[in-house]
Amino acid sequence: LVEGMGRGPQTLPALQELHVTSCDGLGTRGATGLSALLCGGKVPALRELWVECKELGREGMEAVSTALSSPHSASLRHLDLRIQLENPSSEEGVAEVSALSEGLGGGSLCSLGRLDLWGNMGVQGSRSVCEALGAGGFASLRSLSFAGVTFSGGTEEVGWALAQSLARVIDAEHLPCLGSLEFHSVPIKNKGVKEMVEAWLHRSPPPIENLKLVRVGLGEDGLEALISVLDSGRLSSLVSLALEINDDVSASVSGIRGSVQQSLYDFLDHSAVEFFSNSL
């Protein structure tokens, strides 16, 4: 369908949302069609784009990158990319995410307000995506979320690479309007949380109002780091905090929860703190 839309001579002047999230994904031919759609200015009113980047190969990912770097992509307000790579750490996988990052960091997404990234991008891929976020083209971005990196072999390195790289760009200089930051099923762990907190303690953080850390491997060290940055007053815009604590955070999980809740309530209203955990 997308391939046909791209090949056709007609424009779709009223189309505002395009979701390509089938089980089979976009495919190389679909990616080429998407590139033709955006680069040809055939969807001038497009505001929301969801793309399943599955089985694209380097050629297909380069086509998606070309689409995102087109000047016509400046109309986008919400971009949802679901990245499924057979082997993110392989030469081909690294090349695919690198190509995608070039499109993200090309400067054409200057009006984007929300960016959702799903899937395991690998260590190098996570770094290249973060470099794109720090390239200076996301001054309007208000919401950023990462999701879908399962807790399996090798993904802890990916989570650490993502947190470490993000810590360099999640600040008021690079993302001055960022109000929502969310992680779902991304193993950034305690050291990843501490890395971001350390950055916020030494550089001006963005005006984050909503922070969500769910299934990230959060434990006592990470919680203490969060409390320290709240205590510093550096996250003065924060109004909503959602956390999931590791099941093994302590021999007395309920006791830790109570202690943490009380510490967090010193800085936020009770209704603003939400805990997610099957064991709590």
Side-chain angles (χ1 to χ4, degrees):
L1 176 61
V2 177
E3 181 188 11
M5 291 167 64
R7 276 205 317 257
Q10 74 280 2
T11 62
L12 299 167
L15 186 67
Q16 295 189 23
E17 297 183 14
L18 179 58
H19 293 204
V20 190
T21 56
S22 68
C23 294
D24 296 330
L26 185 63
T28 303
R29 292 166 60 183
T32 303
L34 178 65
S35 181
L37 265 180
L38 285 170
C39 294
K42 297 180 179 181
V43 283
L46 192 65
R47 296 292 185 269
E48 185 171 311
L49 177 62
W50 293 40
V51 180
E52 189 92 29
C53 298
K54 181 180 180 182
E55 297 181 3
L56 293 186
R58 190 178 307 192
E59 179 184 353
M61 201 68 92
E62 287 175 351
V64 172
S65 177
T66 300
L68 296 179
S69 59
S70 164
H72 297 289
S73 292
S75 67
L76 290 174
R77 299 297 184 270
H78 177 196
L79 178 61
D80 185 301
L81 294 174
R82 305 184 176 210
I83 302 165
Q84 295 190 45
L85 303 175
E86 186 173 340
N87 185 357
S89 61
S90 68
E91 182 179 348
E92 181 71 14
V94 170
E96 287 185 49
V97 184
S98 178
L100 180 65
S101 299
E102 289 181 14
L104 286 173
S108 294
L109 299 172
C110 52
S111 299
L112 198 68
R114 177 178 173 183
L115 176 61
D116 300 321
L117 295 168
W118 299 66
N120 187 349
M121 297 175 286
V123 172
Q124 289 300 118
S126 297
R127 290 171 179 157
S128 64
V129 165
C130 293
E131 287 175 6
L133 288 172
F138 291 93
S140 297
L141 194 67
R142 289 174 171 77
S143 175
L144 176 63
S145 71
F146 295 88
V149 179
T150 57
F151 281 67
S152 56
T155 56
E156 289 190 15
E157 291 184 12
V158 176
W160 168 238
L162 178 62
Q164 191 177 41
S165 301
L166 273 176
R168 301 189 182 105
V169 300
I170 296 189
D171 55 35
E173 177 184 356
H174 296 98
L175 302 172
C177 292
L178 190 69
S180 177
L181 178 62
E182 301 186 5
F183 296 88
H184 300 261
S185 298
V186 181
I188 60 175
K189 300 278 190 166
N190 287 326
K191 66 177 183 178
V193 173
K194 290 168 68 176
E195 187 79 10
M196 289 190 293
V197 164
E198 189 68 17
W200 292 336
L201 288 171
H202 291 89
R203 301 196 311 275
S204 296
I208 296 175
E209 298 178 357
N210 169 57
L211 179 61
K212 184 173 286 189
L213 301 169
V214 177
R215 293 201 71 240
V216 301
L218 183 65
E220 289 182 68
D221 289 349
L223 288 166
E224 289 176 2
L226 283 173
I227 291 170
S228 72
V229 75
L230 288 171
D231 190 32
S232 73
R234 305 286 283 179
L235 293 181
S236 58
S237 299
L238 192 67
V239 296
S240 175
L241 179 64
L243 305 171
E244 180 183 86
I245 303 174
N246 263 2
D247 290 352
D248 59 353
V249 68
S250 171
S252 176
V253 176
S254 59
I256 288 295
R257 181 189 183 190
S259 174
V260 168
Q261 279 183 324
Q262 190 55 55
S263 296
L264 293 175
Y265 291 157
D266 290 340
F267 308 104
L268 297 167
D269 292 337
H270 286 225
S271 60
V273 183
E274 186 173 6
F275 283 85
F276 294 89
S277 180
N278 292 332
S279 66
L280 296 184

